[in-house]
């Protein structure tokens, strides 16, 4: 819904509750009988109102077709991502959607009508501050400069025809709203950690601050730069927010002391109410019609999706050295040998034939070898790269369903806090061995990998960012493999201005095609690696560095408000 149309949205339509909140789903006001004096009268009215934002569109279930699709790590054979290909047109611009901004502004305009002590409803005010920041951050990432609105507009509102607000001011306002959220939100894990609390808001603030700081640093001097950039201000905020979570003592990296399975098991759990790492998650309940569709069922087979060779090559060997220098690397002859002696997270993210595929009700186990032998016998058992996703999969067939699963999704986890912390410290030039030990090495320890030692980082001739320090390359490597499928990869590429290193002129490759019993239906390159887009992208991706980091503004919006200057490259 566009900025100019959203003022006509009925309050009743805004008040639809979230399908992801279980207890209040059936306890809501009639959608045709809401009026301002009645609606915001009790703390529960505020709770019911903010429940609408806990819906699936804001907290996605990570399905086979989601989670970092359209980046350098994951692709589908069915299409080439238009942004990476560089063939988008201004006519494909998505609408500027301010619907949620309007409804949040309505909340702030009306919540003081509630009768009672502020302490009885400050949690929901805090949630509103969080969600205003959440929605504006999505707009910032998509469009950059956007109009900052604090009022519920009418057809006569002059704000409808004002200029866009500079992105650094938008970022500052987002961070201020998160400061307010932190002030009001509970420190407790609410509703089994399915409701936003202070610590989740701090995690999100560290994400926002790190994003804006790196955007200002790495886009400086380009068409996407900001006037008078101050990235260190944001790095310092990211450190402060992360430190508060780290010092709370409430969270830690989930481990049972089994490095070969702890990482994959974390994403296959059935609930996270008491999990030490998952700070916020989406719970399903079939009885209330809340479900994850066919998440596990779809992940049983490759289904035309695959991880890239570029991603697979990022995993270190168990000696802590990259495959470019480690004597432990066994080459690419087949996926089984390729994953030997590698970071255990590789086999916990990418299937190989020895791993469990299906476990039935009697305990009988089928191995992934059955899928491996059937590869390239049809679209169901096809992958453009041969590297098949294991993360988020649980082989217990009792949990699988073609339409209605209760498979939960971990949304925010403590590992990101640690990675945000160490990256911000490194950007400030302040990272010490103590910082590494309290952040990135805790994540590596879960996987049984050697610590990252600041003064002896093994050289990698294939570092993605040779112009940057060894430390920064290893921090970025760690984000890449630890957070894969968690919808953060494009954000990282964009904020680092890294498409020139990772996207432009490159084609995604796969594993060796000769290892499969059936000949893959994709071409291979001169070294025998699957090269699925060889014919379709002869010159590699055509991402336009002076245009494609941001989306265009629809021409209809600019026609209505000529002060909305178009984004660079889309004029």
């Amino acid at each position: 819904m566009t900025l100019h149309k959203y003022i006509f949205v009925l309050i009743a339509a805004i008040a639809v509750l979230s399908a992801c909140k279980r207890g209040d789903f059936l306890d809501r006001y009639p959608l045709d009988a809401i009026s301002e004096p009645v609606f915001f009268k009790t703390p529960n009215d505020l709770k019911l109102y903010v429940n609408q934002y806990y819906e699936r569109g804001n907290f996605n279930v990570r399905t086979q077709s989601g989670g970092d699709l359209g980046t350098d790590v994951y692709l589908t054979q069915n299409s080439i991502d238009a942004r990476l290909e560089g063939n988008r047109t201004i006519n494909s611009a998505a609408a500027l959607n301010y619907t949620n901004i309007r409804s949040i502004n309505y909340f702030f305009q009306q919540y003081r009508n509630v009768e009672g002590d502020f302490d009885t409803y400050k949690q929901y005010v805090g949630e509103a501050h969080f969600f205003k920041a959440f929605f504006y951050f999505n707009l910032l990432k998509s469009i950059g400069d956007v109009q900052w609105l604090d009022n519920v507009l009418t057809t006569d509102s002059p704000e409808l025809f004002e200029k866009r607000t500079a992105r650094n001011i938008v970022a500052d306002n987002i961070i201020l709203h998160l400061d307010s959220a932190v002030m009001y939100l509970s420190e407790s894990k609410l509703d089994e950690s399915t409701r936003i609390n202070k610590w989740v808001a701090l995690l999100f603030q560290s994400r926002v601050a790190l994003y804006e700081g790196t955007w200002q640093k790495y886009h400086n001097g380009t068409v996407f730069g900001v006037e008078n950039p101050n990235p260190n201000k944001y790095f310092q905020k990211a450190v402060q927010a992360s430190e508060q979570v780290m010092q709370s003592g409430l969270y830690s990296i989930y481990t049972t002391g089994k490095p070969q399975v702890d990482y994959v098991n974390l994403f296959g759990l059935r609930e996270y109410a008491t999990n030490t790492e998952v700070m916020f998650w989406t719970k399903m309940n079939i009885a209330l019609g809340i479900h994850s569709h066919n998440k596990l069922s779809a992940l049983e087979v490759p289904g035309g999706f695959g991880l890239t060779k570029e991603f697979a090559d990022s995993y270190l060997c168990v000696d802590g050295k990259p495959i470019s220098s480690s004597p432990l690397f066994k080459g690419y002859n087949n996926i089984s040998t390729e994953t030997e002696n590698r970071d255990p997270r590789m086999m916990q993210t990418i299937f190989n034939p020895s791993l469990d595929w299906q476990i039935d009700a009697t305990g009988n186990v089928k191995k992934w070898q059955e899928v491996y032998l059937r590869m390239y016998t049809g679209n169901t058992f096809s992958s453009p790269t041969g590297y098949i996703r294991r993360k988020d999969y649980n082989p217990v067939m009792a949990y699988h369903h073609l339409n209605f699963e209760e498979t939960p999704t971990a949304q925010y986890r403590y590992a990101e806090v640690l990675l945000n912390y160490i990256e911000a410290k490194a950007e400030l030039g302040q990272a010490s061995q103590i910082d590494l030990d309290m952040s990135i090495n805790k994540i590596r320890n879960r996987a049984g990998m050697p610590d990252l030692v600041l003064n002896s980082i093994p050289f990698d001739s294939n570092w993605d960012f040779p112009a940057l320090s060894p430390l920064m390359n290893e921090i970025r490597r760690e984000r890449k493999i630890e957070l894969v499928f968690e919808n953060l990869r494009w954000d990282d590429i964009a904020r680092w201005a890294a498409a020139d290193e990772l996207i432009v002129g490159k084609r995604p490759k796969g594993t060796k095609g000769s290892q499969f019993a059936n000949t893959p239906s994709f071409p291979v390159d001169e070294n025998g690696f699957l090269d699925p887009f060889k014919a379709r992208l002869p010159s590699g991706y055509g991402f336009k560095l002076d245009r494609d980091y941001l989306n265009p503004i629809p021409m209809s919006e600019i026609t209505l408000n000529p002060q909305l200057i178009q984004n660079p490259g889309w004029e």
Side-chain angles (χ1 to χ4, degrees):
M1 182 174 296
T2 69
L3 176 60
H4 288 76
K5 291 180 181 177
Y6 89 139
I7 59 175
F8 300 106
V9 175
L10 296 176
I11 295 300
I14 297 172
V16 176
L17 297 184
S18 165
C20 293
K21 299 314 294 176
R22 305 168 314 287
D24 296 310
F25 182 73
L26 300 178
D27 179 19
R28 55 185 178 184
Y29 283 87
L31 297 183
D32 60 351
I34 296 172
S35 62
E36 294 176 12
V38 173
F39 190 63
F40 289 138
K41 197 168 184 179
T42 69
N44 195 56
D45 293 334
L46 299 183
K47 181 179 181 180
L48 291 173
Y49 192 87
V50 296
N51 277 355
Q52 67 182 294
Y53 306 122
Y54 287 92
E55 54 95 15
R56 185 164 293 153
N58 296 327
F59 302 109
N60 292 327
V61 175
R62 285 197 299 276
T63 60
Q64 185 182 55
S65 59
D68 294 334
L69 193 66
T71 69
D72 61 328
V73 301
Y74 191 46
L75 68 148
T76 174
Q77 68 191 39
N78 299 319
S79 63
I80 299 175
D81 184 81
R83 175 169 51 195
L84 302 188
E85 191 173 7
N87 67 354
R88 294 184 298 169
T89 68
I90 198 167
N91 293 329
S92 63
L96 264 176
N97 193 327
Y98 280 79
T99 301
N100 285 321
I101 302 299
R102 181 194 191 280
S103 70
I104 285 285
N105 287 344
Y106 178 83
F107 177 97
F108 285 119
Q109 181 176 294
Q110 299 294 331
Y111 81 86
R112 290 179 179 85
N113 292 328
V114 170
E115 300 170 359
D117 189 89
F118 180 70
D119 284 344
T120 64
Y121 60 84
K122 67 179 182 180
Q123 166 69 24
Y124 312 119
V125 177
E127 290 180 39
H129 281 289
F130 173 87
F131 281 111
K132 182 158 185 178
F134 179 93
F135 296 130
Y136 258 113
F137 186 49
N138 286 338
L139 286 173
L140 181 75
K141 291 187 295 180
S142 176
I143 303 296
D145 301 352
V146 290
Q147 291 168 293
W148 184 271
L149 303 174
D150 284 319
N151 299 314
V152 178
L153 305 187
T154 70
T155 54
D156 299 324
S157 298
E159 294 94 332
L160 289 171
F161 305 98
E162 290 181 351
K163 295 179 180 179
R164 300 159 69 184
T165 306
R167 67 168 296 131
N168 53 334
I169 296 176
V170 174
D172 288 346
N173 286 338
I174 291 170
I175 288 171
L176 285 173
H177 272 278
L178 290 168
D179 282 338
S180 296
V182 169
M183 185 186 310
Y184 298 137
L185 288 168
S186 172
E187 296 186 1
S188 301
K189 298 179 180 181
L190 301 175
D191 293 355
E192 301 178 311
S193 296
T194 63
R195 199 166 196 99
I196 301 297
N197 66 9
K198 170 181 177 177
W199 314 108
V200 175
L202 284 165
L203 180 156
F204 194 74
Q205 188 176 66
S206 74
R207 181 188 293 184
V208 171
L210 184 61
Y211 187 98
E212 185 60 20
T214 46
W215 183 282
Q216 291 192 18
K217 177 175 180 176
Y218 293 105
H219 286 282
N220 189 32
T222 75
V223 294
F224 302 109
V226 304
E227 188 175 348
N228 300 318
N230 187 8
N232 282 359
K233 177 180 78 171
Y234 299 98
F235 296 144
Q236 290 163 358
K237 189 65 174 179
V239 169
Q240 292 167 5
S242 301
E243 282 181 329
Q244 288 187 66
V245 182
M246 295 162 70
Q247 293 168 3
S248 73
L250 291 175
Y251 303 100
S252 61
I253 295 299
Y254 167 82
T255 178
T256 67
K258 299 177 180 178
Q260 301 301 321
V261 296
D262 276 342
Y263 180 75
V264 69
N265 284 352
L266 173 64
F267 301 97
L269 296 176
R270 302 302 294 170
E271 62 88 22
Y272 297 97
T274 60
N275 191 273
T276 62
E277 181 171 350
V278 174
M279 299 172 63
F280 177 77
W281 62 295
T282 302
K283 184 176 182 178
M284 305 299 166
N285 189 323
I286 295 291
L288 296 178
I290 306 167
H291 58 85
S292 51
H293 300 292
N294 64 337
K295 178 179 176 178
L296 297 179
S297 180
L299 288 172
E300 288 177 29
V301 294
F305 295 87
L307 288 148
T308 64
K309 177 180 181 294
E310 294 73 22
F311 171 75
D313 284 348
S314 298
Y315 287 98
L316 301 171
C317 290
V318 292
D319 57 4
K321 296 179 180 179
I323 61 174
S324 63
S325 63
S326 175
L328 299 180
F329 178 53
K330 292 196 171 184
Y332 296 103
N333 286 337
N334 59 66
I335 290 177
S336 293
T337 57
E338 188 179 346
T339 55
E340 284 187 45
N341 299 331
R342 303 287 290 280
D343 183 328
R345 285 173 293 183
M346 185 176 188
M347 278 183 60
Q348 296 177 71
T349 304
I350 301 172
F351 268 116
N352 82 17
S354 68
L355 298 168
D356 292 349
W357 175 38
Q358 296 179 343
I359 303 174
D360 67 19
T362 64
N364 291 324
V365 179
K366 292 183 179 179
K367 296 293 185 179
W368 192 258
Q369 174 74 11
E370 295 192 35
V371 178
Y372 192 70
L373 293 174
R374 296 169 68 180
M375 287 291 290
Y376 305 108
T377 58
N379 290 336
T380 299
F381 292 94
S382 178
S383 168
T385 65
Y387 293 110
I388 314 303
R389 169 182 178 174
R390 183 187 181 197
K391 183 175 174 179
D392 288 317
Y393 184 70
N394 187 319
V396 177
M397 296 303 293
Y399 303 144
H400 295 219
H401 196 281
L402 290 176
N403 295 298
F404 305 104
E405 291 183 3
E406 289 188 309
T407 307
T409 292
Q411 300 289 352
Y412 295 143
R413 60 190 182 99
Y414 184 60
E416 186 193 343
V417 174
L418 301 183
L419 290 168
N420 292 349
Y421 171 80
I422 193 60
E423 184 179 346
K425 290 284 281 190
E427 289 289 5
L428 289 167
Q430 299 174 356
S432 67
Q433 187 60 49
I434 293 175
D435 292 319
L436 290 173
D437 291 342
M438 61 193 292
S439 59
I440 202 168
N441 286 336
K442 289 186 179 296
I443 295 171
R444 288 192 173 194
N445 290 343
R446 188 235 308 271
M449 287 293 291
D451 285 350
L452 181 63
V453 179
L454 185 60
N455 296 323
S456 58
I457 297 175
F459 175 77
D460 186 357
S461 59
N462 295 321
W463 270 325
D464 286 335
F465 308 99
L468 299 183
S469 69
L471 176 60
M472 192 59 68
N473 271 279
E474 290 306 316
I475 289 171
R476 291 186 178 189
R477 183 202 301 272
E478 199 70 26
R479 286 189 69 91
K480 184 179 184 180
I481 62 177
E482 175 68 23
L483 301 177
V484 66
F485 294 126
E486 296 182 44
N487 294 304
L488 293 170
R489 183 60 178 172
W490 172 252
D491 290 355
D492 286 350
I493 293 172
R495 66 188 178 87
W496 295 333
D500 51 342
E501 291 101 340
L502 303 176
I503 304 297
V504 177
K506 299 181 183 296
R507 286 197 307 271
K509 300 292 181 71
T511 188
K512 280 288 184 76
S514 59
Q515 67 184 282
F516 298 102
N518 308 290
T519 302
S521 52
F522 302 98
V524 296
D525 67 8
E526 63 277 9
N527 297 311
F529 294 105
L530 290 172
D531 192 352
F533 300 150
K534 185 175 184 179
R536 298 162 67 184
L537 292 175
S539 300
Y541 287 128
F543 182 99
K544 294 178 173 57
L545 294 171
D546 59 353
R547 188 193 75 174
D548 287 330
Y549 282 116
L550 291 177
N551 295 321
I553 297 174
M555 287 305 299
S556 59
E557 289 292 319
I558 295 176
T559 300
L560 290 168
N561 180 8
Q563 297 230 65
L564 294 178
I565 304 301
Q566 185 57 271
N567 272 331
W570 297 102
E571 296 89 348

